[in-house]
Amino acid sequence: DTGVSQNPRHKITKRGQNVTFRCDPISEHNRLYWYRQTLGQGPEFLTYFQNEAQLEKSRLLSDRFSAERPKGSFSTLEIQRTEQGDSAMYLCASSPLENVNTGELFFGEGSRLTVL
Amino acid sequence: AQSVTQLGSHVSVSEGALVLLRCNYSSSVPPYLFWYVQYPNQGLQLLLKYTSAATLVKGINGFEAEFKKSETSFHLTKPSAHMSDAAEYFCAVSDSRKIIFGKGTRLHILP
């Protein structure tokens, strides 16, 4: 399977714990995006990388959130001191650089976080 | 700033009936507009896209959308609904760096 892969698919944690999600994009895709989706809402942009450079971060991304893409391949999204409001589906998507305006983001199936 | 607004969080149509999902956009420049679909327990996938080449855009599974600048609309249609079309549909716009999604419309197909 050469699609976008996200792990873990489900994570249940207690409030205050740290969690980390991993995304493996389609190989050779320059851009990697993180979105958050809550019930009844569309995907909300969090951040994106072009290769290893993090080029934009949303105001939704508080200082408890950090994302990395150290070698321009896989990416991690860490949430520190989780809160119940962090419960959501975290989506990763990738695209070749030239496809940004054509809109073709390739999404993974998401990582669902439940904070108790 | 670019944004999209989807009218109706839930739409129900009978199998075989016309599907119409509404989307209005706001953009200071000629927009790149898209419809994505999310089937249950699956990732989002691109249904169709408008990139200024033609105002009527055809996508997968018999869907199409028409870009109307005068109405700032990009409504999604399908002449005859099928049970397999039950899913959540998202209208989206590009700001050249990222894709901005609407809140989605869940389509229910009635037998």
mmCIF file of all heavy atoms in Angstrom, chain A residues 9 31 33 35 37 40-45 48 56 91 99-109, chain B residues 32 34 36 38 41-46 49 51 88 90 94-104:
data_model
loop_
_atom_site.group_PDB
_atom_site.id
_atom_site.type_symbol
_atom_site.label_atom_id
_atom_site.label_comp_id
_atom_site.label_asym_id
_atom_site.label_seq_id
_atom_site.Cartn_x
_atom_site.Cartn_y
_atom_site.Cartn_z
ATOM 1 N N ARG A 9 -4.141 4.394 14.961
ATOM 2 C CA ARG A 9 -5.445 4.772 14.435
ATOM 3 C C ARG A 9 -6.362 5.269 15.542
ATOM 4 O O ARG A 9 -7.235 6.115 15.304
ATOM 5 C CB ARG A 9 -6.081 3.588 13.722
ATOM 6 C CG ARG A 9 -5.342 3.126 12.479
ATOM 7 C CD ARG A 9 -5.483 4.147 11.334
ATOM 8 N NE ARG A 9 -6.867 4.539 11.137
ATOM 9 C CZ ARG A 9 -7.776 3.829 10.497
ATOM 10 N NH1 ARG A 9 -7.447 2.645 9.996
ATOM 11 N NH2 ARG A 9 -9.010 4.269 10.369
ATOM 12 N N ARG A 31 4.947 18.068 0.207
ATOM 13 C CA ARG A 31 4.153 18.751 1.225
ATOM 14 C C ARG A 31 3.419 17.748 2.101
ATOM 15 O O ARG A 31 2.886 16.745 1.632
ATOM 16 C CB ARG A 31 3.166 19.714 0.571
ATOM 17 C CG ARG A 31 3.873 20.906 -0.056
ATOM 18 C CD ARG A 31 2.981 22.113 -0.170
ATOM 19 N NE ARG A 31 3.729 23.263 -0.652
ATOM 20 C CZ ARG A 31 3.219 24.463 -0.804
ATOM 21 N NH1 ARG A 31 1.968 24.685 -0.500
ATOM 22 N NH2 ARG A 31 3.963 25.453 -1.249
ATOM 23 N N TYR A 33 0.595 17.835 5.422
ATOM 24 C CA TYR A 33 -0.348 18.662 6.154
ATOM 25 C C TYR A 33 -0.927 17.903 7.346
ATOM 26 O O TYR A 33 -1.145 16.705 7.280
ATOM 27 C CB TYR A 33 -1.519 19.059 5.243
ATOM 28 C CG TYR A 33 -1.159 19.902 4.056
ATOM 29 C CD1 TYR A 33 -0.596 19.339 2.914
ATOM 30 C CD2 TYR A 33 -1.381 21.271 4.064
ATOM 31 C CE1 TYR A 33 -0.267 20.113 1.811
ATOM 32 C CE2 TYR A 33 -1.065 22.062 2.970
ATOM 33 C CZ TYR A 33 -0.507 21.470 1.854
ATOM 34 O OH TYR A 33 -0.190 22.249 0.767
ATOM 35 N N TYR A 35 -4.345 18.211 9.807
ATOM 36 C CA TYR A 35 -5.658 18.808 10.035
ATOM 37 C C TYR A 35 -6.273 18.149 11.266
ATOM 38 O O TYR A 35 -5.929 17.026 11.630
ATOM 39 C CB TYR A 35 -6.599 18.573 8.846
ATOM 40 C CG TYR A 35 -6.332 19.410 7.618
ATOM 41 C CD1 TYR A 35 -5.347 19.031 6.700
ATOM 42 C CD2 TYR A 35 -7.059 20.567 7.360
ATOM 43 C CE1 TYR A 35 -5.107 19.795 5.563
ATOM 44 C CE2 TYR A 35 -6.835 21.330 6.223
ATOM 45 C CZ TYR A 35 -5.862 20.938 5.337
ATOM 46 O OH TYR A 35 -5.629 21.697 4.209
ATOM 47 N N GLN A 37 -10.179 17.266 12.872
ATOM 48 C CA GLN A 37 -11.600 17.197 12.543
ATOM 49 C C GLN A 37 -12.388 16.768 13.765
ATOM 50 O O GLN A 37 -12.127 15.708 14.336
ATOM 51 C CB GLN A 37 -11.847 16.236 11.385
ATOM 52 C CG GLN A 37 -13.280 16.229 10.886
ATOM 53 C CD GLN A 37 -13.473 15.338 9.673
ATOM 54 O OE1 GLN A 37 -12.668 14.461 9.387
ATOM 55 N NE2 GLN A 37 -14.559 15.553 8.933
ATOM 56 N N GLY A 40 -19.083 16.966 13.356
ATOM 57 C CA GLY A 40 -19.915 18.019 12.781
ATOM 58 C C GLY A 40 -19.149 19.159 12.157
ATOM 59 O O GLY A 40 -19.745 20.153 11.734
ATOM 60 N N GLN A 41 -17.834 19.012 12.104
ATOM 61 C CA GLN A 41 -17.007 20.068 11.516
ATOM 62 C C GLN A 41 -16.183 19.514 10.363
ATOM 63 O O GLN A 41 -15.893 18.323 10.308
ATOM 64 C CB GLN A 41 -16.060 20.647 12.565
ATOM 65 C CG GLN A 41 -16.751 21.279 13.754
ATOM 66 C CD GLN A 41 -17.513 22.520 13.380
ATOM 67 O OE1 GLN A 41 -17.070 23.330 12.568
ATOM 68 N NE2 GLN A 41 -18.702 22.684 13.953
ATOM 69 N N GLY A 42 -15.781 20.400 9.478
ATOM 70 C CA GLY A 42 -14.851 19.998 8.447
ATOM 71 C C GLY A 42 -13.435 19.974 8.984
ATOM 72 O O GLY A 42 -13.175 20.457 10.088
ATOM 73 N N PRO A 43 -12.521 19.421 8.217
ATOM 74 C CA PRO A 43 -11.118 19.438 8.646
ATOM 75 C C PRO A 43 -10.619 20.864 8.835
ATOM 76 O O PRO A 43 -10.827 21.716 7.973
ATOM 77 C CB PRO A 43 -10.394 18.751 7.477
ATOM 78 C CG PRO A 43 -11.440 17.917 6.817
ATOM 79 C CD PRO A 43 -12.712 18.708 6.951
ATOM 80 N N GLU A 44 -9.966 21.102 9.977
ATOM 81 C CA GLU A 44 -9.405 22.419 10.273
ATOM 82 C C GLU A 44 -7.890 22.335 10.148
ATOM 83 O O GLU A 44 -7.251 21.469 10.757
ATOM 84 C CB GLU A 44 -9.785 22.841 11.696
ATOM 85 C CG GLU A 44 -11.281 23.008 11.916
ATOM 86 C CD GLU A 44 -11.599 23.244 13.381
ATOM 87 O OE1 GLU A 44 -11.330 22.341 14.197
ATOM 88 O OE2 GLU A 44 -12.105 24.323 13.714
ATOM 89 N N PHE A 45 -7.326 23.246 9.393
ATOM 90 C CA PHE A 45 -5.893 23.255 9.144
ATOM 91 C C PHE A 45 -5.119 23.509 10.438
ATOM 92 O O PHE A 45 -5.455 24.408 11.217
ATOM 93 C CB PHE A 45 -5.566 24.340 8.126
ATOM 94 C CG PHE A 45 -4.100 24.617 7.963
ATOM 95 C CD1 PHE A 45 -3.289 23.759 7.244
ATOM 96 C CD2 PHE A 45 -3.529 25.734 8.550
ATOM 97 C CE1 PHE A 45 -1.934 24.013 7.101
ATOM 98 C CE2 PHE A 45 -2.180 25.997 8.408
ATOM 99 C CZ PHE A 45 -1.378 25.129 7.676
ATOM 100 N N TYR A 48 1.580 22.864 8.068
ATOM 101 C CA TYR A 48 2.081 22.105 6.939
ATOM 102 C C TYR A 48 3.579 22.274 6.792
ATOM 103 O O TYR A 48 4.178 23.253 7.268
ATOM 104 C CB TYR A 48 1.337 22.433 5.648
ATOM 105 C CG TYR A 48 1.853 23.610 4.847
ATOM 106 C CD1 TYR A 48 2.802 23.425 3.843
ATOM 107 C CD2 TYR A 48 1.343 24.883 5.047
ATOM 108 C CE1 TYR A 48 3.243 24.484 3.076
ATOM 109 C CE2 TYR A 48 1.777 25.952 4.287
ATOM 110 C CZ TYR A 48 2.727 25.754 3.293
ATOM 111 O OH TYR A 48 3.163 26.812 2.541
ATOM 112 N N GLU A 56 3.853 26.973 7.876
ATOM 113 C CA GLU A 56 2.706 27.693 8.400
ATOM 114 C C GLU A 56 2.091 26.925 9.542
ATOM 115 O O GLU A 56 2.013 25.699 9.512
ATOM 116 C CB GLU A 56 1.658 27.924 7.301
ATOM 117 C CG GLU A 56 0.487 28.810 7.734
ATOM 118 C CD GLU A 56 -0.436 29.189 6.593
ATOM 119 O OE1 GLU A 56 -0.035 29.060 5.420
ATOM 120 O OE2 GLU A 56 -1.580 29.608 6.878
ATOM 121 N N LEU A 91 -5.918 14.342 11.133
ATOM 122 C CA LEU A 91 -5.740 13.890 9.758
ATOM 123 C C LEU A 91 -4.410 14.369 9.201
ATOM 124 O O LEU A 91 -4.010 15.511 9.424
ATOM 125 C CB LEU A 91 -6.864 14.437 8.867
ATOM 126 C CG LEU A 91 -8.291 14.104 9.269
ATOM 127 C CD1 LEU A 91 -9.275 14.837 8.359
ATOM 128 C CD2 LEU A 91 -8.532 12.614 9.206
ATOM 129 N N ASN A 99 0.892 20.369 -6.813
ATOM 130 C CA ASN A 99 -0.546 20.101 -6.764
ATOM 131 C C ASN A 99 -1.309 20.957 -5.778
ATOM 132 O O ASN A 99 -2.477 20.767 -5.597
ATOM 133 C CB ASN A 99 -0.806 18.634 -6.422
ATOM 134 C CG ASN A 99 -0.871 17.774 -7.669
ATOM 135 O OD1 ASN A 99 -0.837 18.286 -8.769
ATOM 136 N ND2 ASN A 99 -0.962 16.479 -7.488
ATOM 137 N N VAL A 100 -0.666 21.909 -5.116
ATOM 138 C CA VAL A 100 -1.367 22.648 -4.067
ATOM 139 C C VAL A 100 -2.606 23.332 -4.606
ATOM 140 O O VAL A 100 -3.686 23.229 -4.032
ATOM 141 C CB VAL A 100 -0.442 23.693 -3.416
ATOM 142 C CG1 VAL A 100 -1.248 24.582 -2.471
ATOM 143 C CG2 VAL A 100 0.646 23.009 -2.646
ATOM 144 N N ASN A 101 -2.517 24.013 -5.716
ATOM 145 C CA ASN A 101 -3.679 24.707 -6.244
ATOM 146 C C ASN A 101 -4.624 23.788 -6.985
ATOM 147 O O ASN A 101 -5.746 24.174 -7.291
ATOM 148 C CB ASN A 101 -3.258 25.859 -7.152
ATOM 149 C CG ASN A 101 -2.990 27.110 -6.358
ATOM 150 O OD1 ASN A 101 -3.449 27.245 -5.226
ATOM 151 N ND2 ASN A 101 -2.223 28.012 -6.930
ATOM 152 N N THR A 102 -4.206 22.587 -7.287
ATOM 153 C CA THR A 102 -5.150 21.639 -7.877
ATOM 154 C C THR A 102 -5.899 20.885 -6.786
ATOM 155 O O THR A 102 -6.801 20.125 -7.075
ATOM 156 C CB THR A 102 -4.442 20.630 -8.790
ATOM 157 O OG1 THR A 102 -3.576 19.806 -7.989
ATOM 158 C CG2 THR A 102 -3.626 21.341 -9.855
ATOM 159 N N GLY A 103 -5.514 21.122 -5.553
ATOM 160 C CA GLY A 103 -6.297 20.635 -4.421
ATOM 161 C C GLY A 103 -6.190 19.177 -4.110
ATOM 162 O O GLY A 103 -6.870 18.676 -3.237
ATOM 163 N N GLU A 104 -5.356 18.473 -4.853
ATOM 164 C CA GLU A 104 -5.347 17.043 -4.636
ATOM 165 C C GLU A 104 -4.452 16.675 -3.473
ATOM 166 O O GLU A 104 -3.272 16.353 -3.652
ATOM 167 C CB GLU A 104 -4.940 16.281 -5.886
ATOM 168 C CG GLU A 104 -5.193 14.791 -5.766
ATOM 169 C CD GLU A 104 -5.503 14.130 -7.093
ATOM 170 O OE1 GLU A 104 -5.235 14.744 -8.137
ATOM 171 O OE2 GLU A 104 -6.019 13.008 -7.072
ATOM 172 N N LEU A 105 -5.027 16.754 -2.295
ATOM 173 C CA LEU A 105 -4.368 16.241 -1.121
ATOM 174 C C LEU A 105 -4.752 14.783 -0.956
ATOM 175 O O LEU A 105 -5.898 14.410 -1.138
ATOM 176 C CB LEU A 105 -4.809 17.016 0.124
ATOM 177 C CG LEU A 105 -4.520 18.512 0.165
ATOM 178 C CD1 LEU A 105 -4.913 19.080 1.513
ATOM 179 C CD2 LEU A 105 -3.067 18.796 -0.136
ATOM 180 N N PHE A 106 -3.763 13.981 -0.592
ATOM 181 C CA PHE A 106 -4.007 12.557 -0.359
ATOM 182 C C PHE A 106 -4.041 12.353 1.150
ATOM 183 O O PHE A 106 -3.029 12.546 1.822
ATOM 184 C CB PHE A 106 -2.902 11.722 -1.014
ATOM 185 C CG PHE A 106 -2.898 11.828 -2.510
ATOM 186 C CD1 PHE A 106 -2.293 12.902 -3.149
ATOM 187 C CD2 PHE A 106 -3.498 10.855 -3.295
ATOM 188 C CE1 PHE A 106 -2.293 13.015 -4.536
ATOM 189 C CE2 PHE A 106 -3.503 10.954 -4.678
ATOM 190 C CZ PHE A 106 -2.906 12.034 -5.293
ATOM 191 N N PHE A 107 -5.203 11.977 1.644
ATOM 192 C CA PHE A 107 -5.402 11.877 3.083
ATOM 193 C C PHE A 107 -5.196 10.454 3.587
ATOM 194 O O PHE A 107 -5.538 9.471 2.915
ATOM 195 C CB PHE A 107 -6.821 12.303 3.460
ATOM 196 C CG PHE A 107 -7.002 13.790 3.531
ATOM 197 C CD1 PHE A 107 -7.300 14.524 2.397
ATOM 198 C CD2 PHE A 107 -6.861 14.460 4.739
ATOM 199 C CE1 PHE A 107 -7.460 15.896 2.460
ATOM 200 C CE2 PHE A 107 -7.020 15.833 4.814
ATOM 201 C CZ PHE A 107 -7.327 16.547 3.671
ATOM 202 N N GLY A 108 -4.685 10.382 4.803
ATOM 203 C CA GLY A 108 -4.703 9.123 5.523
ATOM 204 C C GLY A 108 -6.068 8.928 6.171
ATOM 205 O O GLY A 108 -6.958 9.778 6.063
ATOM 206 N N GLU A 109 -6.212 7.812 6.859
ATOM 207 C CA GLU A 109 -7.502 7.507 7.484
ATOM 208 C C GLU A 109 -7.674 8.187 8.833
ATOM 209 O O GLU A 109 -8.739 8.133 9.420
ATOM 210 C CB GLU A 109 -7.678 5.996 7.591
ATOM 211 C CG GLU A 109 -7.787 5.320 6.228
ATOM 212 C CD GLU A 109 -8.036 3.836 6.325
ATOM 213 O OE1 GLU A 109 -7.818 3.257 7.405
ATOM 214 O OE2 GLU A 109 -8.450 3.241 5.309
ATOM 215 N N TYR B 32 -9.544 28.517 -6.559
ATOM 216 C CA TYR B 32 -9.468 27.103 -6.894
ATOM 217 C C TYR B 32 -10.420 26.401 -5.919
ATOM 218 O O TYR B 32 -10.235 26.495 -4.710
ATOM 219 C CB TYR B 32 -8.049 26.563 -6.723
ATOM 220 C CG TYR B 32 -7.070 27.108 -7.733
ATOM 221 C CD1 TYR B 32 -6.377 28.290 -7.491
ATOM 222 C CD2 TYR B 32 -6.845 26.442 -8.919
ATOM 223 C CE1 TYR B 32 -5.481 28.791 -8.417
ATOM 224 C CE2 TYR B 32 -5.943 26.937 -9.861
ATOM 225 C CZ TYR B 32 -5.273 28.118 -9.595
ATOM 226 O OH TYR B 32 -4.378 28.603 -10.516
ATOM 227 N N PHE B 34 -12.953 22.962 -4.748
ATOM 228 C CA PHE B 34 -12.936 21.507 -4.762
ATOM 229 C C PHE B 34 -14.127 20.954 -3.991
ATOM 230 O O PHE B 34 -14.696 21.617 -3.128
ATOM 231 C CB PHE B 34 -11.652 20.981 -4.104
ATOM 232 C CG PHE B 34 -10.441 21.775 -4.460
ATOM 233 C CD1 PHE B 34 -9.987 22.790 -3.634
ATOM 234 C CD2 PHE B 34 -9.756 21.534 -5.633
ATOM 235 C CE1 PHE B 34 -8.883 23.546 -3.970
ATOM 236 C CE2 PHE B 34 -8.650 22.290 -5.980
ATOM 237 C CZ PHE B 34 -8.219 23.297 -5.143
ATOM 238 N N TYR B 36 -14.621 17.370 -1.821
ATOM 239 C CA TYR B 36 -14.061 16.126 -1.305
ATOM 240 C C TYR B 36 -15.204 15.294 -0.732
ATOM 241 O O TYR B 36 -16.208 15.828 -0.270
ATOM 242 C CB TYR B 36 -13.048 16.398 -0.190
ATOM 243 C CG TYR B 36 -11.645 16.687 -0.653
ATOM 244 C CD1 TYR B 36 -11.311 17.934 -1.185
ATOM 245 C CD2 TYR B 36 -10.652 15.721 -0.556
ATOM 246 C CE1 TYR B 36 -10.022 18.187 -1.615
ATOM 247 C CE2 TYR B 36 -9.358 15.975 -0.970
ATOM 248 C CZ TYR B 36 -9.052 17.210 -1.499
ATOM 249 O OH TYR B 36 -7.780 17.467 -1.922
ATOM 250 N N GLN B 38 -16.057 11.942 1.972
ATOM 251 C CA GLN B 38 -15.553 11.061 3.036
ATOM 252 C C GLN B 38 -16.581 9.985 3.284
ATOM 253 O O GLN B 38 -17.654 10.248 3.852
ATOM 254 C CB GLN B 38 -15.283 11.862 4.312
ATOM 255 C CG GLN B 38 -14.597 11.081 5.411
ATOM 256 C CD GLN B 38 -14.214 11.971 6.590
ATOM 257 O OE1 GLN B 38 -14.896 12.936 6.911
ATOM 258 N NE2 GLN B 38 -13.098 11.652 7.237
ATOM 259 N N ASN B 41 -15.612 5.576 7.696
ATOM 260 C CA ASN B 41 -14.373 4.878 8.066
ATOM 261 C C ASN B 41 -13.313 4.911 6.965
ATOM 262 O O ASN B 41 -12.454 4.018 6.899
ATOM 263 C CB ASN B 41 -14.664 3.424 8.458
ATOM 264 C CG ASN B 41 -15.614 3.341 9.626
ATOM 265 O OD1 ASN B 41 -15.445 4.045 10.618
ATOM 266 N ND2 ASN B 41 -16.627 2.504 9.527
ATOM 267 N N GLN B 42 -13.370 5.923 6.121
ATOM 268 C CA GLN B 42 -12.357 6.082 5.089
ATOM 269 C C GLN B 42 -11.803 7.501 5.123
ATOM 270 O O GLN B 42 -12.405 8.409 5.707
ATOM 271 C CB GLN B 42 -12.935 5.800 3.700
ATOM 272 C CG GLN B 42 -13.358 4.357 3.493
ATOM 273 C CD GLN B 42 -13.762 4.091 2.055
ATOM 274 O OE1 GLN B 42 -13.292 4.738 1.118
ATOM 275 N NE2 GLN B 42 -14.639 3.121 1.874
ATOM 276 N N GLY B 43 -10.643 7.688 4.514
ATOM 277 C CA GLY B 43 -10.062 9.013 4.413
ATOM 278 C C GLY B 43 -10.770 9.861 3.363
ATOM 279 O O GLY B 43 -11.485 9.342 2.512
ATOM 280 N N LEU B 44 -10.563 11.170 3.446
ATOM 281 C CA LEU B 44 -11.145 12.063 2.442
ATOM 282 C C LEU B 44 -10.508 11.802 1.084
ATOM 283 O O LEU B 44 -9.316 11.522 0.994
ATOM 284 C CB LEU B 44 -10.885 13.531 2.809
ATOM 285 C CG LEU B 44 -11.761 14.142 3.882
ATOM 286 C CD1 LEU B 44 -11.151 13.897 5.244
ATOM 287 C CD2 LEU B 44 -11.920 15.629 3.645
ATOM 288 N N GLN B 45 -11.318 11.924 0.052
ATOM 289 C CA GLN B 45 -10.775 11.803 -1.293
ATOM 290 C C GLN B 45 -11.372 12.875 -2.189
ATOM 291 O O GLN B 45 -12.523 13.287 -2.010
ATOM 292 C CB GLN B 45 -11.019 10.408 -1.872
ATOM 293 C CG GLN B 45 -12.458 9.972 -1.936
ATOM 294 C CD GLN B 45 -12.594 8.560 -2.477
ATOM 295 O OE1 GLN B 45 -12.460 8.328 -3.674
ATOM 296 N NE2 GLN B 45 -12.826 7.603 -1.602
ATOM 297 N N LEU B 46 -10.580 13.304 -3.148
ATOM 298 C CA LEU B 46 -11.003 14.366 -4.052
ATOM 299 C C LEU B 46 -12.082 13.851 -4.991
ATOM 300 O O LEU B 46 -11.908 12.819 -5.643
ATOM 301 C CB LEU B 46 -9.803 14.870 -4.853
ATOM 302 C CG LEU B 46 -10.059 16.052 -5.788
ATOM 303 C CD1 LEU B 46 -10.427 17.300 -4.997
ATOM 304 C CD2 LEU B 46 -8.823 16.313 -6.652
ATOM 305 N N LYS B 49 -12.596 19.112 -9.051
ATOM 306 C CA LYS B 49 -11.909 20.372 -8.795
ATOM 307 C C LYS B 49 -12.193 21.374 -9.909
ATOM 308 O O LYS B 49 -12.360 21.000 -11.074
ATOM 309 C CB LYS B 49 -10.410 20.137 -8.674
ATOM 310 C CG LYS B 49 -9.792 19.512 -9.928
ATOM 311 C CD LYS B 49 -8.366 19.073 -9.667
ATOM 312 C CE LYS B 49 -7.785 18.400 -10.907
ATOM 313 N NZ LYS B 49 -6.465 17.780 -10.630
ATOM 314 N N THR B 51 -10.427 24.640 -11.618
ATOM 315 C CA THR B 51 -9.172 25.389 -11.682
ATOM 316 C C THR B 51 -9.196 26.385 -12.819
ATOM 317 O O THR B 51 -8.166 26.716 -13.390
ATOM 318 C CB THR B 51 -7.984 24.427 -11.856
ATOM 319 O OG1 THR B 51 -8.203 23.620 -13.021
ATOM 320 C CG2 THR B 51 -7.831 23.521 -10.659
ATOM 321 N N GLU B 88 -20.165 11.942 3.652
ATOM 322 C CA GLU B 88 -20.079 13.362 3.985
ATOM 323 C C GLU B 88 -19.290 14.058 2.887
ATOM 324 O O GLU B 88 -18.244 13.558 2.438
ATOM 325 C CB GLU B 88 -19.417 13.576 5.348
ATOM 326 C CG GLU B 88 -19.491 15.020 5.816
ATOM 327 C CD GLU B 88 -19.652 15.136 7.318
ATOM 328 O OE1 GLU B 88 -19.248 14.205 8.029
ATOM 329 O OE2 GLU B 88 -20.161 16.180 7.772
ATOM 330 N N PHE B 90 -17.492 17.622 1.449
ATOM 331 C CA PHE B 90 -16.866 18.871 1.881
ATOM 332 C C PHE B 90 -16.503 19.722 0.671
ATOM 333 O O PHE B 90 -15.809 19.257 -0.237
ATOM 334 C CB PHE B 90 -15.594 18.592 2.684
ATOM 335 C CG PHE B 90 -15.825 17.853 3.962
ATOM 336 C CD1 PHE B 90 -15.713 16.477 4.019
ATOM 337 C CD2 PHE B 90 -16.158 18.543 5.118
ATOM 338 C CE1 PHE B 90 -15.932 15.788 5.195
ATOM 339 C CE2 PHE B 90 -16.371 17.868 6.305
ATOM 340 C CZ PHE B 90 -16.272 16.489 6.342
ATOM 341 N N SER B 94 -8.637 26.634 -2.127
ATOM 342 C CA SER B 94 -7.200 26.723 -1.905
ATOM 343 C C SER B 94 -6.787 28.179 -1.739
ATOM 344 O O SER B 94 -7.296 29.058 -2.442
ATOM 345 C CB SER B 94 -6.443 26.119 -3.091
ATOM 346 O OG SER B 94 -5.065 26.420 -3.009
ATOM 347 N N ASP B 95 -5.851 28.423 -0.822
ATOM 348 C CA ASP B 95 -5.261 29.758 -0.720
ATOM 349 C C ASP B 95 -3.829 29.733 -1.231
ATOM 350 O O ASP B 95 -3.038 30.596 -0.865
ATOM 351 C CB ASP B 95 -5.337 30.286 0.707
ATOM 352 C CG ASP B 95 -4.382 29.567 1.657
ATOM 353 O OD1 ASP B 95 -3.714 28.602 1.217
ATOM 354 O OD2 ASP B 95 -4.283 29.966 2.828
ATOM 355 N N SER B 96 -3.523 28.789 -2.056
ATOM 356 C CA SER B 96 -2.231 28.530 -2.717
ATOM 357 C C SER B 96 -1.232 27.829 -1.810
ATOM 358 O O SER B 96 -0.240 27.290 -2.278
ATOM 359 C CB SER B 96 -1.589 29.806 -3.290
ATOM 360 O OG SER B 96 -0.946 30.544 -2.273
ATOM 361 N N ARG B 97 -1.493 27.829 -0.496
ATOM 362 C CA ARG B 97 -0.580 27.127 0.418
ATOM 363 C C ARG B 97 -1.254 25.911 1.028
ATOM 364 O O ARG B 97 -0.605 24.902 1.318
ATOM 365 C CB ARG B 97 -0.108 28.051 1.530
ATOM 366 C CG ARG B 97 0.621 29.297 1.035
ATOM 367 C CD ARG B 97 1.101 30.146 2.200
ATOM 368 N NE ARG B 97 0.029 30.479 3.122
ATOM 369 C CZ ARG B 97 -0.842 31.462 2.939
ATOM 370 N NH1 ARG B 97 -0.785 32.196 1.861
ATOM 371 N NH2 ARG B 97 -1.757 31.700 3.847
ATOM 372 N N LYS B 98 -2.556 26.019 1.261
ATOM 373 C CA LYS B 98 -3.284 24.954 1.920
ATOM 374 C C LYS B 98 -4.719 24.943 1.428
ATOM 375 O O LYS B 98 -5.169 25.863 0.742
ATOM 376 C CB LYS B 98 -3.258 25.154 3.444
ATOM 377 C CG LYS B 98 -3.932 26.453 3.890
ATOM 378 C CD LYS B 98 -3.695 26.696 5.348
ATOM 379 C CE LYS B 98 -4.367 27.984 5.810
ATOM 380 N NZ LYS B 98 -3.688 29.172 5.250
ATOM 381 N N ILE B 99 -5.425 23.871 1.778
ATOM 382 C CA ILE B 99 -6.836 23.734 1.423
ATOM 383 C C ILE B 99 -7.672 24.066 2.654
ATOM 384 O O ILE B 99 -7.392 23.579 3.754
ATOM 385 C CB ILE B 99 -7.145 22.303 0.947
ATOM 386 C CG1 ILE B 99 -6.181 21.895 -0.175
ATOM 387 C CG2 ILE B 99 -8.591 22.197 0.500
ATOM 388 C CD1 ILE B 99 -6.245 22.764 -1.385
ATOM 389 N N ILE B 100 -8.684 24.897 2.456
ATOM 390 C CA ILE B 100 -9.582 25.303 3.541
ATOM 391 C C ILE B 100 -10.933 24.655 3.280
ATOM 392 O O ILE B 100 -11.523 24.841 2.207
ATOM 393 C CB ILE B 100 -9.712 26.834 3.583
ATOM 394 C CG1 ILE B 100 -8.335 27.463 3.793
ATOM 395 C CG2 ILE B 100 -10.691 27.262 4.683
ATOM 396 C CD1 ILE B 100 -8.256 28.912 3.402
ATOM 397 N N PHE B 101 -11.417 23.903 4.256
ATOM 398 C CA PHE B 101 -12.632 23.118 4.079
ATOM 399 C C PHE B 101 -13.854 23.781 4.716
ATOM 400 O O PHE B 101 -13.744 24.504 5.705
ATOM 401 C CB PHE B 101 -12.457 21.730 4.717
ATOM 402 C CG PHE B 101 -11.483 20.852 3.993
ATOM 403 C CD1 PHE B 101 -10.127 20.902 4.286
ATOM 404 C CD2 PHE B 101 -11.917 19.977 3.019
ATOM 405 C CE1 PHE B 101 -9.219 20.089 3.616
ATOM 406 C CE2 PHE B 101 -11.025 19.162 2.341
ATOM 407 C CZ PHE B 101 -9.677 19.224 2.637
ATOM 408 N N GLY B 102 -15.012 23.500 4.132
ATOM 409 C CA GLY B 102 -16.265 23.859 4.757
ATOM 410 C C GLY B 102 -16.614 22.860 5.848
ATOM 411 O O GLY B 102 -15.864 21.905 6.097
ATOM 412 N N LYS B 103 -17.755 23.071 6.487
ATOM 413 C CA LYS B 103 -18.123 22.236 7.621
ATOM 414 C C LYS B 103 -18.710 20.899 7.212
ATOM 415 O O LYS B 103 -18.876 20.015 8.048
ATOM 416 C CB LYS B 103 -19.107 22.978 8.528
ATOM 417 C CG LYS B 103 -18.477 24.167 9.223
ATOM 418 C CD LYS B 103 -19.423 24.780 10.255
ATOM 419 C CE LYS B 103 -18.702 25.882 11.011
ATOM 420 N NZ LYS B 103 -19.566 26.472 12.067
ATOM 421 N N GLY B 104 -19.030 20.749 5.956
ATOM 422 C CA GLY B 104 -19.495 19.462 5.455
ATOM 423 C C GLY B 104 -21.004 19.339 5.404
ATOM 424 O O GLY B 104 -21.740 19.990 6.156
#
